[in-house]
Amino acid sequence: MRRPIIAGNWKMNNTIAETKALLTELKPLVKDAEAEVVVCVPYTDIATAGEIIKGSNIKLGAENVHWAEKGAFTGEISAKMLKELDVEYVIIGHSERRQYFGESDETVNMRVKAALAAGLKPIICVGESLDEREGNKTESVVRTQTAGALKDIDKSELDNIVIAYEPIWAIGTGRTATSEQANETIKVIRDVVAELYCRDCAENKVRIQYGGSMNPKNVKELMAMPEIDGGLIGGASLKAVDFSNVVNF
């Protein structure tokens, strides 16, 4: 059985003081969770978050990483820098990075390789726009993005990789793919992994989350689907009670 993984993506939210308050409230609420719990926080909050969750069952994540080890990349953060702060997970290729900051399948792949080389666990995001879904292009889009992200990644790394299916049209809009739609598309992603590696790899190594407005109201229905291994949680991760209700689905 694949262990569920629930990861909060705070995006550009929470000061250091707010981070202390949120995580202090969250820790006791999720301490008995069966799912793996991750909080992916802004760079300025990483050190503080790490201190607050030390010794707990909450894992630390970042929201992005550069592909270079170091160099003239103003404003970027390397995998080595994250590793030094005891970061375990890192989100790569989020739709907002693709939409606003020029991420491509190629740069996502470069970042995945850099993360793995440093011992970080990538949460790789894939998903289609509303136009692509309405144009019946969902399968081709997620196939291309998944294969692109995993290009030249060795099978031995699959245990360290999480994929998040996040339909762009369902992020922050309040709209959610039906549980059947999410399950169907995640099965496509799992099939791609099977084609690239092996069926056992797809079934037992790679965990695939749903990332489109999962919240306390719909988490049970979504998590009941056989292909869905967890959630990449946006808005609901900014309130301790809401996030804990998702984690403890």
Side-chain angles (χ1 to χ4, degrees):
M1 291 292 291
R2 301 179 299 265
R3 186 186 181 193
I5 176 170
I6 307 292
N9 176 18
W10 289 7
K11 307 189 180 185
M12 195 174 70
N13 291 291
N14 290 335
T15 62
I16 287 174
E18 290 166 340
T19 296
K20 289 179 180 178
L22 174 53
L23 293 179
T24 299
E25 183 182 359
L26 179 67
K27 279 198 301 182
L29 298 177
V30 300
K31 64 182 177 62
D32 298 319
E34 294 183 10
E36 187 169 3
V37 186
V38 184
V39 289
C40 298
V41 308
Y43 294 128
T44 54
D45 295 334
I46 288 174
T48 299
E51 283 298 315
I52 298 294
I53 65 177
K54 187 176 292 183
S56 77
N57 61 322
I58 303 173
K59 307 288 183 62
L60 184 60
E63 297 179 15
N64 192 27
V65 64
H66 199 265
W67 57 79
E69 289 186 14
K70 59 183 178 180
F73 300 100
T74 301
E76 293 291 336
I77 306 291
S78 73
K80 184 179 180 180
M81 294 171 180
L82 295 178
K83 193 67 178 174
E84 190 176 45
L85 291 169
D86 296 323
V87 169
E88 184 171 344
Y89 285 91
V90 60
I91 299 170
I92 297 176
H94 192 279
S95 64
E96 290 156 3
R97 299 297 311 177
R98 295 178 191 257
Q99 181 178 357
Y100 301 127
F101 303 105
E103 287 282 359
S104 65
D105 293 341
E106 181 181 11
T107 60
V108 167
N109 180 242
M110 293 164 66
R111 294 177 198 273
V112 170
K113 289 174 179 174
L116 291 170
L120 298 173
K121 298 175 181 177
I123 299 175
I124 303 168
C125 299
V126 301
E128 82 284 9
S129 67
L130 182 58
D131 287 345
E132 288 166 339
R133 172 161 282 275
E134 291 180 342
N136 295 315
K137 297 178 181 177
T138 296
E139 181 170 342
S140 64
V141 168
V142 298
R143 277 185 164 275
T144 298
Q145 290 179 344
T146 302
L150 296 176
K151 183 180 178 183
D152 299 326
I153 302 298
D154 191 79
K155 182 166 72 171
S156 64
E157 296 284 12
L158 293 179
D159 285 319
N160 296 317
I161 290 174
V162 177
I163 299 174
Y165 167 55
E166 40 154 39
I168 298 169
W169 50 272
I171 298 171
T173 63
R175 299 180 62 175
T176 309
T178 66
S179 54
E180 291 79 11
Q181 285 175 322
N183 191 68
E184 179 183 9
T185 306
I186 287 175
K187 185 180 186 306
V188 170
I189 296 168
R190 204 175 300 283
D191 287 344
V192 174
V193 176
E195 292 162 12
L196 292 172
Y197 299 97
C198 67
R199 177 54 63 180
D200 180 68
C201 301
E203 296 295 339
N204 298 308
K205 292 183 179 293
V206 176
R207 291 177 292 177
I208 307 178
Q209 301 171 310
Y210 175 63
S213 298
M214 184 183 281
N215 57 59
K217 293 181 179 179
N218 61 27
V219 61
K220 287 186 184 297
E221 181 181 347
L222 287 163
M223 290 302 297
M225 293 291 107
E227 300 291 347
I228 299 177
D229 300 325
L232 182 60
I233 315 301
S237 71
L238 299 176
K239 295 181 179 178
V241 172
D242 285 354
F243 189 54
S244 69
N245 285 336
V246 174
V247 167
N248 296 314
F249 66 91

